[in-house]
Amino acid sequence: MPKNALSATGISVDFFGLRALSDVSLALSHGEILGLIGPNGSGKTTLINVLTGQVKPISGKVLCNGAEITGLSPRKIAKHGIARSFQVVRLFRGLTVAENIEAAALAKGCSRRTAWHRTEQLLSEFDLEEQQDQLAAALSYGDERRVEIARALAGKPGFLLLDEPAAGMNDAEGDALLRILARLPGERELGMLIIDHDMSLIMRLCHRLHVLASGKTIGEGGVDEVRRLPRVIEAYLGAEGQEEAGNAAGG
Ligand SMILES: Nc1ncnc2c1ncn2[C@@H]1O[C@H](COP(=O)(O)OP(=O)(O)O)[C@@H](O)[C@H]1O
Ligand SMILES: [Mg+2]
């Protein structure tokens, strides 16, 4: 395993007797974007929750840059440089956009000067300069999501885990987000894992895919390789995926 990697090995999770994940393993390195896909209820959010400490697995190991972090609290895991976004946006609604990002940097122990410097950089990178003095409560949905990701980056994480960041966005907002996300891992020491239902976004953004169905891994590897796996097409991509895979093979 590369030194700068977040890895999960043999992860199983039970919720009151229901097996949500069965023996799932994945690894994420700096510089790469890994797509985690699968039908609703297949265990994608649960896997992020295991990586960030919100859910404790009944078996398996999580390593971050060689250190074992299995079962640690979310606070301790965050200190290892793992940041996430949630399926439902969580911002300080009474603070401005800039204050939300700055507060996240300060919470990571930055000086005021460093926190503000990072905030300015992130406002620019996420195209939020015009909205920086707006209250979070007044933001459009697409802007809220961008602020949430900027906040997650304010602590300079080594790994960023995004749970459906483009959900509820229109096509223009989704494309704008994709352009920002695509640049992140190359510009900093960062590995990114992304869950999203928008297959077009996932296929354009990700370097590799990991596919879950009913809590089990049914495919992993390069995007073009995985989208052609019969098991994946059958379980998940359906007729649409088959058509896309066919087109890609034909073209
Ligand atoms: N906190 C929880 N308590 C009980 N069951 C849960 C909990 N979180 C998830 N589940 C169940 O685990 C399975 C996987 O859920 P989830 O990881 O949210 O799937 P996905 O994100 O792929 O849609 C589902 O059957 C879901 O109902
Ligand atoms: Mg989910």
Side-chain angles (χ1 to χ4, degrees):
M1 201 213 321
K3 187 170 155 279
N4 291 314
L6 174 62
S7 74
T9 314
I11 298 294
S12 296
V13 170
D14 267 0
F15 290 121
F16 315 107
L18 173 96
R19 182 55 54 94
L21 288 175
S22 276
D23 196 21
V24 171
S25 301
L26 64 71
L28 174 66
S29 303
H30 279 179
E32 92 171 329
I33 305 179
L34 175 65
L36 179 59
I37 63 173
N40 260 330
S42 58
K44 305 180 298 293
T45 297
T46 301
L47 186 53
I48 285 194
N49 285 340
V50 168
L51 294 172
T52 55
Q54 267 91 14
V55 164
K56 293 192 194 327
I58 54 163
S59 64
K61 259 189 185 182
V62 184
L63 296 182
C64 182
N65 300 334
E68 180 162 3
I69 58 169
T70 325
L72 295 185
S73 68
R75 257 175 70 95
K76 286 199 172 134
I77 288 183
K79 288 201 175 125
H80 284 262
I82 301 171
R84 71 174 298 174
S85 72
F86 287 88
Q87 227 168 325
V88 177
V89 179
R90 302 179 173 188
L91 295 177
F92 296 118
R93 296 173 62 78
L95 297 185
T96 67
V97 167
E99 285 165 348
N100 261 283
I101 300 172
E102 197 181 6
L106 290 169
K108 292 289 167 189
C110 290
S111 67
R112 290 213 90 88
R113 195 190 154 90
T114 307
W116 181 243
H117 180 67
R118 281 193 198 171
T119 301
E120 283 186 311
Q121 266 183 341
L122 286 163
L123 287 169
S124 150
E125 205 169 350
F126 280 78
D127 206 11
L128 286 164
E129 281 162 320
E130 275 177 30
Q131 293 93 325
Q132 65 174 298
D133 296 322
Q134 270 182 36
L135 289 183
L139 294 175
S140 73
Y141 188 75
D143 288 349
E144 266 188 350
R145 300 235 65 139
R146 292 212 310 286
V147 175
E148 202 204 9
I149 300 167
R151 272 176 59 80
L153 286 167
K156 292 228 164 143
F159 300 97
L160 178 64
L161 316 178
L162 302 173
D163 197 351
E164 303 198 21
M169 286 190 174
N170 62 37
D171 284 353
E173 288 172 330
D175 282 348
L177 181 67
L178 182 138
R179 282 194 297 276
I180 295 167
L181 296 181
R183 289 198 302 259
L184 295 177
E187 282 175 358
R188 42 185 101 209
E189 301 273 285
L190 183 76
M192 196 162 95
L193 181 148
I194 179 167
I195 296 176
D196 211 277
H197 286 293
D198 180 345
M199 271 312 112
S200 147
L201 180 140
I202 287 287
M203 300 289 179
R204 284 181 289 161
L205 183 62
C206 297
H207 307 142
R208 280 196 303 128
L209 295 180
H210 190 108
V211 193
L212 294 177
S214 306
K216 296 192 177 81
T217 299
I218 58 162
E220 56 180 326
V223 173
D224 286 330
E225 173 195 338
V226 168
R227 71 199 291 194
R228 286 190 182 79
L229 293 175
R231 269 194 305 177
V232 171
I233 293 169
E234 196 184 312
Y236 183 44
L237 296 172
E240 191 190 337
Q242 223 150 8
E243 201 175 284
E244 271 182 33
N247 288 343

